[in-house]
Amino acid sequence: MGDSGKALLTVRRAAKFFGNKLVFKEVSCEVLPGRIMLVAGPNGAGKSTLMRIMAGLAKPSAGEVVLHADPAKCAYLGHATFIYPGLSALENLKFWGSMYGLSPTRDQLMELLRRVGLERAAEEKAGSFSRGMAQRLNLARIYQADPELIFLDEPGTGLDPASLGRLRTEITGLRDRGVSVVWISHHVAEDSALADTVLALGGRRVEYFGPASGFTPEGAC
């Protein structure tokens, strides 16, 4: 691990039970500024559960999670897109901006849509969007909060190859802007090459936590 004093988030010996069922135990890691951490592991290993704990959406059964960043500067993107199908892309962003206490101008909203490649769909109803377009609009939604730590739970699910490539470019672009990303992916072999660190869960524990360059992805997805 690096210097915990510089970490945005620290997890110490976290464990999670559902009733008497152990999901994982003794999980320790930290998220450093401007880094991508890929969370890998087979189905049922507890990846999404761990991410929800890291994001403050659930509590560990044991251990602790310490957030060193401003909670208002953290964002979580799960499987649901949280967009309103009857509203246009612009209307969705304007509504969510108001939820963040912002009053974005049309130009600011259009810049967000340009950033995720949706400027031509600005006036289209979100209900007509493909899965990839909906995910990109959801990314634009959370960008309004100018986050420094983003949690992405399988954002590539259901995306076609072109949309998946755009998503990967956007995620690495976040790092270039100094944003930290905790990313669960089913495309571990490809996506670990884009990450800085990998946390691999398996057998109800951490099987690997360290540099992505030292991680062997076989059997981890």
Side-chain angles (χ1 to χ4, degrees):
M1 288 187 185
D3 180 357
S4 61
K6 296 180 181 179
L8 292 179
L9 180 79
T10 304
V11 180
R12 300 189 183 100
R13 304 184 68 182
K16 185 64 178 180
F17 286 87
F18 288 123
N20 293 324
K21 180 183 178 182
L22 174 66
V23 181
F24 53 71
K25 64 178 180 178
E26 297 291 330
V27 174
S28 295
C29 65
E30 61 185 16
V31 181
L32 299 177
R35 303 287 182 86
I36 296 174
M37 185 172 84
L38 192 74
V39 181
N43 290 335
K47 301 184 298 294
S48 293
T49 298
L50 175 61
M51 178 171 282
R52 288 180 60 82
I53 290 172
M54 294 172 76
L57 301 175
K59 293 183 178 180
S61 303
E64 64 176 346
V65 176
V66 181
L67 179 64
H68 307 287
D70 180 354
K73 291 294 185 179
C74 300
Y76 173 86
L77 191 155
H79 296 169
T81 58
F82 294 107
I83 60 176
Y84 291 88
L87 299 181
S88 69
L90 274 174
E91 289 168 340
N92 266 280
L93 291 185
K94 184 176 181 179
F95 171 77
W96 279 105
S98 68
M99 294 296 98
Y100 291 128
L102 305 173
S103 299
T105 66
R106 180 185 174 87
D107 286 346
Q108 289 172 327
L109 296 180
M110 286 300 298
E111 178 57 34
L112 286 170
L113 291 176
R114 275 191 288 272
R115 182 173 165 184
V116 298
L118 288 177
E119 66 274 20
R120 294 184 179 179
E123 303 289 354
E124 294 180 18
K125 300 296 185 186
S128 68
F129 285 6
S130 67
R131 173 70 179 174
M133 293 172 71
Q135 281 289 57
R136 281 185 273 150
L137 181 56
N138 207 27
L139 282 171
R141 173 181 67 82
I142 65 176
Y143 289 165
Q144 290 192 84
D146 193 25
E148 58 184 48
L149 175 57
I150 297 179
F151 299 93
L152 301 176
D153 189 352
E154 298 180 5
T157 299
L159 299 191
D160 59 70
S163 295
L164 191 58
R166 183 186 289 272
L167 174 68
R168 287 170 172 150
T169 298
E170 188 60 36
I171 290 173
T172 55
L174 287 169
R175 176 176 54 199
D176 294 340
R177 296 182 178 95
V179 179
S180 296
V181 179
V182 180
W183 177 16
I184 297 176
S185 170
H186 275 317
H187 305 277
V188 176
E190 299 91 339
D191 294 339
S192 61
L194 305 177
D196 298 292
T197 59
V198 173
L199 172 68
L201 295 175
R204 300 183 178 85
R205 60 182 179 83
V206 174
E207 292 189 330
Y208 179 88
F209 177 59
S213 59
F215 176 66
T216 302
E218 294 180 7
C221 58

